[in-house]
Amino acid sequence: MTFHMDFFIALLTCAAVTLVLHSKADCPPPPTRLTHRWIDPFTVNVSWEKPRGVQDGSEVTYKYSLVKNGEEEVTGTTVRNFTVTCLTEEMDSDRWTYSVWTDSSPNCRSSNESMRVNITFKYPKPRAKVVKDFKCVIHGNEMDCSWIPVDPSLKLKLSYRMCGLSEEVLKGLKECRKLYRNETRTSCRLKVDATMSDICIFVETDAGMSTFIAELEVPSPKMSVREEGDHLKLSWKPPEVGEQCVWFYEVCYTRCSDPEVLCRNKTVVSGREHSLNMPYDNSCLYQIRSRVKTYKYCKKISSGFSEVVTYGSNKPPDRTLTVVAIVLPIILSICVLLSCYCFRRHSAIICPNIPDPSAIFKEMMMNGNKDLKTPGSLYTPVPEPIEPCRITPITENSGLQQNV
């Protein structure tokens, strides 16, 4: 009995030791001797040596991560290096810290990972805000970029290339040698097709450097306005870039003397007519401006607002109804007042007193043949004028003479 018990305990101990050793054997060692190398102002390469204890030909996966904006981004690789783009505008500090570790599972599904090893590196030059209000307007296969230097007294150098990690892209870094200055802004024309990829910009002075992706713009849309019935038809020429893009137009306008700005939107697919109909009041002056930006299936490109386009004129409002509504009641009131005055003054003529027939009959019965006393005065004829008659005596001799 004792022999069997000792054998069973020894067997369990051997199994436990074997399990522990097997677990330790499965835990891969971490990478060693991490180093970094800046390929250009945007790109850094991190590499390391094979971990101790890893045999040649064994399947080992490496993982690396970066904590940015509070979130960890984990990527896997089967080689002992990785290349990443590091822009100053993406971080709040001048340091980048990557974590690298080994995973013994080739399909990156194992939870048996090595401890993490960190590597921290800085930019080739101090990180500094060199320019502000940097914008690039696309003109075909070129870009017209302009900016405001933070310190105009410092000499500024600008380089650019398409963003990416391919060998061809990494060799495409160019310097802008012709800078144009005006009172406040500095400009440079970049010979690069911005419709194919993002453009990485590198600016530096003696004070420091700055790397970022250029914000792309297209020229403000040139708008034409045409009146069609009770609508205005606004139309634009499509942008020179983004043939496969969906464009989002924003139209803002004011009408008459109303200071309120009204805006309307329309989405247009490239290749179709870029137009918009809006209601029109021909008694108002319209002040219209517009801008455009990509909506879907295309990288972010936008324009500023165009110059204000005016259409129509402010006409004085038709006040006929207002005048009628005010003057007509006044005239009617005056007419009513005059009518009342005339009626009151000539009421005896318009409405004479008519005797009561019952009173006349009663008077006849009581007085018999007496003259009826009727109210009012009786009609008295007006005496006619009488000419006096004058008689002239005729003598006999005068009469005979007349007869003769």
Side-chain angles (χ1 to χ4, degrees):
M1 186 69 179
T2 303
F3 172 78
H4 290 292
M5 182 62 69
D6 293 340
F7 178 78
F8 182 71
I9 293 174
L11 183 63
L12 289 178
T13 303
C14 182
V17 171
T18 303
L19 181 61
V20 170
L21 293 176
H22 180 71
S23 299
K24 289 184 177 180
D26 285 345
C27 184
T32 58
R33 298 184 179 179
L34 273 68
T35 59
H36 76 281
R37 176 175 64 90
W38 284 94
I39 300 176
D40 64 13
F42 314 103
T43 314
V44 66
N45 177 263
V46 177
S47 60
W48 57 90
E49 294 184 359
K50 182 186 299 184
R52 296 188 181 92
V54 176
Q55 302 296 326
D56 292 336
S58 60
E59 296 181 350
V60 176
T61 300
Y62 301 99
K63 293 181 180 180
Y64 60 93
S65 70
L66 171 69
V67 178
K68 184 168 63 176
N69 298 326
E71 297 183 0
E72 185 181 30
E73 302 174 357
V74 179
T75 307
T77 180
T78 57
V79 296
R80 296 195 305 274
N81 68 84
F82 62 87
T83 303
V84 289
T85 300
C86 301
L87 303 177
T88 61
E89 298 297 325
E90 294 181 346
M91 298 292 287
D92 295 331
S93 67
D94 59 350
R95 298 173 182 269
W96 291 73
T97 300
Y98 276 89
S99 298
V100 186
W101 65 96
T102 309
D103 192 331
S104 61
S105 175
N107 55 12
C108 299
R109 295 179 181 178
S110 174
S111 60
N112 194 15
E113 301 173 344
S114 71
M115 61 178 294
R116 298 190 178 193
V117 181
N118 294 335
I119 180 172
T120 301
F121 50 87
K122 295 182 179 182
Y123 297 104
K125 295 185 69 174
R127 175 177 178 268
K129 187 70 173 179
V130 180
V131 296
K132 58 183 179 180
D133 192 24
F134 191 98
K135 58 183 179 181
C136 295
V137 181
I138 303 175
H139 297 281
N141 295 330
E142 296 183 350
M143 293 196 315
D144 188 8
C145 297
S146 64
W147 61 89
I148 300 176
V150 174
D151 189 351
S153 63
L154 297 177
K155 183 179 179 181
L156 183 142
K157 177 183 176 182
L158 184 143
S159 303
Y160 63 95
R161 68 167 174 82
M162 297 175 63
C163 296
L165 299 175
S166 66
E167 183 177 356
E168 181 181 0
V169 169
L170 293 175
K171 293 179 179 180
L173 185 66
K174 300 178 181 179
E175 181 181 353
C176 184
R177 299 186 180 277
K178 294 183 179 180
L179 302 181
Y180 307 93
R181 293 183 176 86
N182 57 21
E183 294 181 357
T184 58
R185 303 186 66 86
T186 304
S187 302
C188 180
R189 201 165 187 88
L190 312 184
K191 296 182 178 181
V192 60
D193 188 357
T195 62
M196 302 299 297
S197 175
D198 291 331
I199 307 301
C200 288
I201 304 295
F202 167 56
V203 289
E204 63 174 332
T205 63
D206 294 338
M209 59 169 282
S210 177
T211 54
F212 53 90
I213 296 176
E215 293 187 4
L216 304 181
E217 296 186 2
V218 291
S220 301
K222 294 183 178 180
M223 177 175 52
S224 62
V225 183
R226 185 173 72 252
E227 182 178 350
E228 291 187 354
D230 57 350
H231 285 78
L232 289 180
K233 185 174 183 179
L234 315 179
S235 56
W236 307 267
K237 289 184 178 180
E240 297 179 358
V241 299
E243 296 181 355
Q244 305 300 323
C245 296
V246 177
W247 293 96
F248 180 82
Y249 283 88
E250 182 180 11
V251 181
C252 296
Y253 63 96
T254 59
R255 57 187 301 273
C256 296
S257 300
D258 190 353
E260 181 182 4
V261 178
L262 306 175
C263 292
R264 298 188 64 188
N265 302 322
K266 185 171 183 178
T267 303
V268 180
V269 180
S270 293
R272 298 183 182 178
E273 183 181 13
H274 292 217
S275 62
L276 171 67
N277 292 332
M278 57 181 289
Y280 174 59
D281 183 355
N282 59 11
S283 64
C284 284
L285 173 66
Y286 284 76
Q287 296 182 328
I288 313 168
R289 60 178 185 166
S290 62
R291 63 182 177 183
V292 65
K293 63 180 179 180
T294 51
Y295 183 61
K296 289 182 179 180
Y297 317 121
C298 199
K299 64 180 181 179
K300 183 180 178 181
I301 305 176
S302 62
S303 76
F305 270 111
S306 64
E307 295 181 357
V308 175
V309 176
T310 59
Y311 191 88
S313 60
N314 287 329
K315 299 179 181 178
D318 187 2
R319 302 184 182 276
T320 304
L321 296 178
T322 304
V323 172
V324 170
I326 296 175
V327 174
L328 187 58
I330 295 175
I331 294 175
L332 292 177
S333 301
I334 293 174
C335 292
V336 171
L337 291 175
L338 291 175
S339 300
C340 293
Y341 174 77
C342 292
F343 181 82
R344 182 175 180 182
R345 183 168 183 177
H346 302 283
S347 60
I349 298 174
I350 298 173
C351 299
N353 293 328
I354 301 175
D356 188 2
S358 62
I360 297 174
F361 182 76
K362 183 177 180 182
E363 187 71 18
M364 291 175 60
M365 294 297 293
M366 292 181 63
N367 297 333
N369 294 330
K370 292 182 179 180
D371 294 336
L372 295 174
K373 296 181 179 179
T374 58
S377 60
L378 296 178
Y379 173 74
T380 304
V382 178
E384 297 181 358
I386 301 174
E387 296 182 2
C389 183
R390 186 169 47 176
I391 302 173
T392 304
I394 301 174
T395 62
E396 185 176 352
N397 291 334
S398 63
L400 292 174
Q401 294 175 355
Q402 292 179 355
N403 291 329
V404 179

